[in-house]
Amino acid sequence: MSSAAKEPAYLADLNPVQRQAVTRTDGPMLVVAGPGSGKTRVLTYRIAYLIDSGVAPWEILALTFTNKAAREMKERIAGRVGEQAHKVWAGTFHSIFARILRVEAEKIGYPSNFTIYDTEDTKNVLGAIIREMNLDKNTYNVNSLRARISSAKSNLITPKLYAQNEELLQQDRLAKRPHTLAIYEQYVSRCKRSGAMDFDDLLYRLFELLQADPEGVLDKYRQKFRYVLVDEFQDTNYLQYAIIKKLVKYPGSPHHITVVGDDAQSIYAFRGATIQNILDFEQDFKNHGIQVCKLEQNYRSTDSIVQAANEVITYNKRQIQKKIWSDKGPGHKIKVVRAQTDNEEGKRVADTILEQKNRFHLGNRDIAVLYRTNAQSRIFEEYLRRYNLPYRVYGGLSFYQRKEVKDLIAYLRLTVNPQDDEALRRVINHPKRGIGKTSLGKISELANRQNISLWEALNRIRFSARTQEAVRDFIQLIRSFRKRLENKNAYELGHYIARKSGLLDLLKADTSVEGAGRLENVEALLDGIKSFVEEDTVIDTETVPDKSLATYLQNIALLTDFDQNDPLAADAVTLMSAHSAKGLEFRSVFLVGLEEKLFPSYMSMDTPEGLDEERRLFYVAITRAKQLLTLSYAVSRYRFGQMRFNEPSRFLEELPAQHVESAFGRGESAESGAKLLGNFKPRKRQEPTFRADPATFKPSPSDQIAPGMDVMHLKFGKGRVQKIEGGAQNKIATIHFEELDDNPERRIMLKFAKLQILP
């Protein structure tokens, strides 16, 4: 923007650091955005400023993690620069990449109308492969296999590279899953023959496209996206960052990339996210004039909450140094509630919610109860119901995952893409038409033998007269749907399919309360398709005129949890996991179950990296609170059917005492409450002590552990397994650890033990 040009009025809304992040438009930039620091404002104003500076909106690529975030971004930009904001390419990684692949997929051997497989589709494909290979379904667990394949794709490990990786193969052998590679190969092959991509493929196949660079496609998108912006960069995985670098980091590139994120809020390692991306970004672009802006003013929370968060996160070693501050005044101290039992914890939280509603005039939607695991919601639900407090549990079954909804969607998918094996499997005999499991098995056998889709096999196979007639009728039914693809919009065709397939009649015949609910769900789906047709349709935040069934299916396939469930939509107390709360804020937050082995989780306590991530999750949870923060724990709680006695979470000890007050429980005196508060003093920071090197420690599969074995534990050191007791899922090992002076014999549940077998 020339000095003579008038400066946009919206820049006056920014503090000096935000302004710097918005107006320094060229080259690489890292914006470290603390909680409540105006990150979204900086992103939207930066895009608006780029457009005001003469950058064409369609040359800007903005990548987010939810469609909701992209929509809000577009709306805010439009408020500054008008309707041209809708020409910006803004959306989730998956939706933007799917949009590119719709245009380019044929260059890598996929149809442009490829199906997008969800998690259930993937598990179904893997389950079929396991059955056909006559493998034990317990050993070859579909969830474990799905995670294994997802991890391989996210790290750019193709089946061919997997076969060359002795470490991966050895891990599979030790886990008694030596056929994992063969399953991976089969899975990739079947997705391709079905013209289907799973969510990982939307990234994996785009990288493949850019790497192979057929017909100069890489340069096409490098020229197209002159400016790239990435939100929540700390949540990216290895593959996402690899794609970003393909687009912006090459000889002669202007390196116009801006990433915004907070390493202290990196909490999705279990999904493949790596904090290393944001920690390495400055080094990766140091030779290209990188600028780092730290947004440290918190506009959300009072000083007590902010200072507590600052103090806790200092216990993590690997981080980008920053000091968050607030000018909202000290506010209320953080309340720590000690309950004798988990049941009492539920009651005291509900009592405190009632008290806060009356004292501070809070609406229900102003309040959130956060927990480490979804199973903890039960007790709080019970007490909120008793007190007639409306609540909503966030993270339940998605509308689009309900059986009757998936049944109709499968018919819609098969109409658009007949090669879709999973859609065909789901509907070929639903409603029943005389093509049972035996017949489907023969169809599958022919498809596998000739490496063709089930649809192609269906058109070639020959059965007895009755079954052949049913097959012929089904083929004609799907063909009749496909004939209407060109001249019917999504609603007209969807309603026609629902009727002619027999699904509506089947649901209407079930007059039970549950049956009525299922019929309502299908009608709600059809209503949603009608809205898609009649209203302005937004795909990747761009309004499009395409009202086809294919476009509708892509739209719903790429919905995220936040797009399907808005936790603030109703005036109800929100119950959700700490992971789900990221990006939200509430006037009052209750963070419950703060006990060792619950939060931090027992599954994350044996490595420094795991414990650091748990602490970042605690940091995220407490910074959701604007005014009131209540932390609670129970001395005893039922877990796995047994009463457990618990130590308070170490994170409570790390809170600054001057910002905390305790609430003493039933039967406790004020003096004992004061004594409790005195326990929460900043402890001396110390390195975690390990008797084995965490860098080289590799846990062995728990089912390999046997009595008499020598094993290594990160904390307890070398030990010998004395005996193993309990059932298959609850085996407990008694181990004598020679390096422990006091109480050298420890009983450890094997599935959580993380033991390395020694030679």
Side-chain angles (χ1 to χ4, degrees):
M1 184 173 291
S2 68
S3 57
K6 185 179 179 182
E7 187 174 86
Y10 53 77
L11 293 182
D13 298 341
L14 305 172
N15 68 36
V17 183
Q18 290 174 332
R19 184 188 178 96
Q20 179 187 12
V22 166
T23 58
R24 197 270 200 178
T25 56
D26 290 351
M29 176 178 285
L30 169 61
V31 180
V32 183
S37 62
K39 166 180 71 71
T40 304
R41 172 177 288 187
V42 166
L43 261 176
T44 54
Y45 281 24
R46 182 174 175 81
I47 294 171
Y49 191 80
L50 284 170
I51 295 171
D52 279 335
S53 301
V55 178
W58 53 85
E59 295 180 323
I60 300 171
L61 172 63
L63 296 166
T64 67
F65 276 85
T66 68
N67 293 307
K68 180 172 179 257
R71 280 195 302 272
E72 289 176 355
M73 187 186 299
K74 280 286 191 72
E75 289 164 5
R76 292 196 191 191
I77 299 167
R80 301 292 174 266
V81 299
E83 287 304 305
Q84 57 183 331
H86 295 291
K87 297 177 182 176
V88 173
W89 279 60
T92 65
F93 282 87
H94 292 93
S95 63
I96 292 290
F97 294 171
R99 185 175 168 187
I100 294 171
L101 285 166
R102 290 287 176 206
V103 177
E104 313 291 352
E106 291 178 355
K107 294 184 175 70
I108 54 171
Y110 278 84
S112 61
N113 65 340
F114 62 83
T115 298
I116 299 173
Y117 276 177
D118 64 13
T119 300
E120 185 178 339
D121 293 321
T122 294
K123 288 160 69 172
N124 288 341
V125 176
L126 290 171
I129 294 169
I130 291 164
R131 285 192 300 274
E132 290 163 16
M133 293 177 68
N134 293 315
L135 300 173
D136 178 55
K137 67 179 182 180
N138 294 317
T139 302
Y140 288 88
N141 177 275
V142 291
N143 288 314
S144 299
L145 288 169
R146 185 181 69 84
R148 186 75 164 169
I149 291 170
S150 174
S151 176
K153 289 182 180 179
S154 295
N155 288 284
L156 292 174
I157 300 172
T158 62
K160 184 176 180 180
L161 291 175
Y162 198 108
Q164 298 168 4
N165 190 313
E166 185 54 38
E167 183 179 351
L168 292 176
L169 297 175
Q170 177 66 9
Q171 289 172 2
D172 292 338
R173 287 192 288 269
L174 288 173
K176 294 186 177 178
R177 290 194 287 263
H179 299 290
T180 298
L181 170 60
I183 294 170
Y184 184 14
E185 290 170 333
Q186 278 288 312
Y187 176 73
V188 170
S189 173
R190 293 198 186 185
C191 284
K192 195 149 192 176
R193 85 181 190 195
S194 297
M197 297 190 195
D198 62 24
F199 266 49
D200 293 310
D201 283 328
L202 295 177
L203 311 178
Y204 178 70
R205 296 302 178 189
L206 182 70
F207 185 88
E208 178 188 358
L209 174 74
L210 299 179
Q211 179 78 359
D213 193 21
E215 302 175 28
V217 70
L218 176 57
D219 192 55
K220 171 184 173 180
Y221 287 99
R222 283 175 171 173
Q223 295 299 320
K224 182 176 184 62
F225 301 131
R226 290 179 54 213
Y227 288 82
V228 176
L229 300 93
V230 186
D231 191 15
E232 304 286 8
F233 187 65
Q234 78 281 346
D235 293 337
T236 54
N237 62 27
Y238 174 82
L239 179 51
Q240 287 163 327
Y241 192 23
I243 293 170
I244 291 164
K245 285 190 282 192
K246 275 280 182 193
L247 292 172
V248 302
K249 195 178 182 190
Y250 56 92
S253 165
H255 300 96
H256 296 329
I257 178 168
T258 301
V259 301
V260 182
D262 182 6
D263 58 295
Q265 298 187 65
S266 178
I267 60 172
Y268 293 127
F270 67 94
R271 292 183 186 169
T274 171
I275 192 175
Q276 206 60 45
N277 288 350
I278 194 167
L279 296 178
D280 288 347
F281 186 81
E282 186 175 358
Q283 181 70 19
D284 289 345
F285 287 88
K286 69 175 184 178
N287 296 326
H288 307 289
I290 188 170
Q291 184 160 326
V292 179
C293 294
K294 297 181 181 180
L295 307 182
E296 297 176 303
Q297 182 174 359
N298 181 297
Y299 292 93
R300 174 189 300 153
S301 307
T302 58
D303 192 57
S304 287
I305 295 168
V306 167
Q307 293 308 321
N310 274 338
E311 179 70 18
V312 166
I313 205 64
T314 59
Y315 286 83
N316 279 11
K317 277 189 64 178
R318 297 169 66 245
Q319 60 179 295
I320 299 171
Q321 294 300 320
K322 56 187 173 299
K323 193 74 172 176
I324 309 302
W325 59 277
S326 169
D327 63 1
K328 289 187 171 292
H332 300 276
K333 287 189 175 183
I334 299 167
K335 181 179 286 189
V336 175
V337 174
R338 175 181 185 266
Q340 289 298 321
T341 65
D342 49 355
N343 201 51
E344 184 190 336
E345 182 186 30
K347 182 179 186 305
R348 296 190 65 192
V349 165
D351 285 338
T352 308
I353 288 174
L354 278 177
E355 177 193 340
Q356 289 184 355
K357 279 171 61 68
N358 293 327
R359 183 178 173 190
F360 302 110
H361 308 291
L362 301 182
N364 295 311
R365 66 162 55 91
D366 295 325
I367 303 167
V369 179
L370 309 182
Y371 32 73
R372 180 62 181 82
T373 64
N374 286 316
Q376 291 171 255
S377 73
R378 179 187 60 81
I379 287 173
F380 302 99
E381 289 185 66
E382 287 180 6
Y383 277 99
L384 291 174
R385 278 199 300 270
R386 288 185 197 180
Y387 290 15
N388 291 319
L389 286 168
Y391 67 89
R392 182 177 180 189
V393 180
Y394 178 79
L397 185 65
S398 158
F399 173 79
Y400 294 101
Q401 293 300 318
R402 291 169 182 161
K403 179 186 181 303
E404 60 277 8
V405 173
K406 284 188 73 78
D407 289 341
L408 179 51
I409 288 175
Y411 270 108
L412 305 183
R413 278 172 35 180
L414 193 61
T415 300
V416 170
N417 175 18
Q419 310 303 319
D420 185 342
D421 282 359
E422 284 313 299
L424 189 145
R425 282 182 193 278
R426 190 174 191 101
V427 302
I428 191 170
N429 202 38
H430 185 71
K432 291 187 183 302
R433 52 175 59 89
I435 310 174
K437 287 185 178 179
T438 302
S439 299
L440 183 56
K442 292 178 180 177
I443 298 166
S444 298
E445 186 181 341
L446 176 62
N448 294 337
R449 192 166 61 247
Q450 298 188 8
N451 194 26
I452 56 177
S453 69
L454 294 179
W455 176 257
E456 291 172 290
L458 198 63
N459 282 270
R460 297 183 188 182
I461 202 163
R462 291 294 174 264
F463 289 108
S464 63
R466 180 181 295 180
T467 305
Q468 194 65 44
E469 183 180 1
V471 167
R472 185 175 62 250
D473 289 347
F474 179 71
I475 292 172
Q476 289 174 349
L477 180 71
I478 302 303
R479 285 177 177 168
S480 73
F481 297 161
R482 286 182 54 75
K483 285 179 183 176
R484 289 166 172 78
L485 274 171
E486 296 300 322
N487 53 22
K488 298 286 186 184
N489 65 37
Y491 175 71
E492 292 167 340
L493 184 51
H495 197 273
Y496 179 84
I497 291 170
R499 285 190 296 108
K500 291 296 184 180
S501 65
L503 285 180
L504 282 180
D505 288 341
L506 183 69
L507 292 169
K508 287 175 181 176
D510 184 352
T511 57
S512 66
V513 174
E514 294 80 5
R518 286 190 282 270
L519 180 60
E520 287 175 4
N521 286 335
V522 168
E523 289 174 341
L525 177 66
L526 293 171
D527 288 343
I529 301 176
K530 191 165 190 177
S531 296
F532 166 85
V533 169
E534 293 182 349
E535 299 172 6
D536 284 342
T537 305
V538 178
I539 305 288
D540 305 336
T541 76
E542 180 175 348
T543 302
V544 296
D546 185 356
K547 304 298 182 182
S548 70
L549 188 57
T551 304
Y552 169 76
L553 288 172
Q554 176 176 326
N555 198 28
I556 63 168
L558 295 168
L559 290 175
T560 66
D561 288 345
F562 270 89
D563 300 308
Q564 297 175 41
N565 303 289
D566 183 354
L568 304 181
D571 186 31
V573 176
T574 299
L575 276 64
M576 59 168 43
S577 71
H579 280 102
S580 298
K582 189 164 173 290
L584 301 176
E585 58 182 38
F586 303 87
R587 286 180 64 188
S588 174
V589 166
F590 292 79
L591 182 55
V592 301
L594 282 165
E595 299 132 35
E596 288 289 286
K597 299 184 181 179
L598 183 54
F599 200 171
S601 165
Y602 59 85
M603 297 180 70
S604 305
M605 292 172 63
D606 282 348
T607 65
E609 296 80 12
L611 193 53
D612 279 2
E613 175 132 341
E614 289 290 296
R615 188 175 284 107
R616 292 195 294 270
L617 181 59
F618 179 75
Y619 177 91
V620 165
I622 64 177
T623 55
R624 300 309 93 198
K626 298 167 74 173
Q627 298 169 335
L628 300 162
L629 177 59
T630 306
L631 310 176
S632 69
Y633 71 98
V635 174
S636 62
R637 126 179 0 257
Y638 274 101
R639 296 197 70 198
F640 309 115
Q642 296 183 334
M643 176 68 76
R644 302 290 175 90
F645 293 90
N646 315 300
E647 291 293 324
S649 169
R650 69 190 65 201
F651 302 149
L652 292 172
E653 299 176 24
E654 295 169 359
L655 294 168
Q658 67 270 28
H659 293 295
V660 179
E661 67 178 8
S662 73
F664 49 90
R666 184 178 60 212
E668 295 178 336
S669 65
E671 288 76 14
S672 65
K675 183 179 179 182
L676 168 67
L677 177 58
N679 290 335
F680 298 126
K681 295 177 180 177
R683 60 178 180 169
K684 181 181 178 182
R685 290 168 189 76
Q686 55 187 359
E687 299 296 322
T689 56
F690 295 101
R691 289 182 166 87
D693 183 359
T696 59
F697 183 82
K698 293 180 180 177
S700 303
S702 61
D703 56 6
Q704 299 288 312
I705 308 295
M709 282 186 173
D710 290 328
V711 294
M712 178 66 73
H713 187 280
L714 267 177
K715 288 186 177 180
F716 304 149
K718 184 179 178 182
R720 174 159 291 184
V721 181
Q722 305 294 314
K723 61 181 177 180
I724 295 177
E725 306 165 280
Q729 296 302 311
N730 296 293
K731 287 185 178 179
I732 296 175
T734 301
I735 305 174
H736 183 91
F737 290 100
E738 58 190 45
E739 298 177 51
L740 298 183
D741 296 329
D742 58 326
N743 190 22
E745 279 202 357
R746 298 293 175 96
R747 284 167 54 83
I748 302 177
M749 188 169 284
L750 269 183
K751 63 181 177 181
F752 307 130
K754 294 187 178 178
L755 299 166
Q756 181 178 357
I757 298 172
L758 298 177

